[in-house]
Structures are given as C-alpha cells and as structure tokens.
Amino acid sequence: MDRLSLDDVASAVGVSSFYFCKLFKQTTSMTFTEYVNRKRVECAQAALLKPQERITEIAFEVGYKSLSQFNRSFLKYAGEFRKRMKASPGQDTSVVAC
C-alpha cells in the first residue's frame, strides 16, 4: 500500500488537516490514524489466509514500516486471529479482501 498522509488527504478534500481530523472523528468515531491502521490490518488478515505468505512480508506490503508496529496494531484490531483460524479454518467471515 502507498503511504497515506493526513495532509495529502485533507488537501485532496480542500480543508485543513485540523478540520479534516475533527470531521473525520465526528463522522466515523475514530481518528484518521485508527482508520488507516484498521484497514491495513484487514488487508493483512486477507493475506494471512494464504499459508505461503510470511508475516513480515505481509506487514510491509500493507504499509507498516516495522514489524513491532504491525504486531501492536494487529493485536489491537484483529485479536487472536491465527488461533481462531486454526480452531475453525474457513469459518472467519470478518476478513475483508483487499
């Protein structure tokens, strides 16, 4: 994924970064950063369904610069994804394809 900056998004919609953050939080009940990280984790979940993919490669592909940052976000938004998948393969309907 390409790097998505707050300034670029705010500029694209024609408002200041501060105002964009305020509107985004009011509309979605989450910050812009939380939203981006959640979407990255959803893409990572879809990629993890392919057993040949390595976690490190997936983390970098979805836009994380460090594995530790990816691990923190993944745990926050996806919880115990691998344990759920091993317990009931093919049963997780919460995974979004990217």
Side-chain angles (χ1 to χ4, degrees):
M1 293 177 110
D2 294 333
R3 182 110 174 113
L4 190 62
S5 82
L6 172 63
D7 290 333
D8 291 342
V9 175
S11 177
V13 294
V15 297
S16 72
S17 298
F18 175 79
Y19 188 63
F20 177 80
C21 285
K22 184 177 176 179
L23 287 176
F24 195 89
K25 178 82 172 187
Q26 286 175 346
T27 304
T28 65
S29 300
M30 67 178 83
T31 67
F32 178 72
T33 302
E34 289 171 333
Y35 176 80
V36 170
N37 285 333
R38 183 180 301 269
K39 290 300 176 187
R40 286 179 175 161
V41 167
E42 288 175 0
C43 289
Q45 284 179 304
L48 283 168
L49 295 175
K50 302 172 193 164
Q52 71 277 12
E53 294 284 332
R54 297 184 57 168
I55 293 173
T56 306
E57 293 169 358
I58 291 169
F60 293 128
E61 284 175 12
V62 297
Y64 285 95
K65 299 278 186 224
S66 82
L67 193 56
S68 61
Q69 182 187 17
F70 170 76
N71 289 337
R72 280 191 302 273
S73 290
F74 196 89
L75 204 62
K76 180 178 180 179
Y77 297 113
E80 300 289 329
F81 177 75
R82 282 205 156 178
K83 287 183 182 176
R84 286 195 325 256
M85 292 309 296
K86 285 182 181 179
S88 57
Q91 300 296 317
D92 190 24
T93 59
S94 65
V95 176
V96 175
C98 293

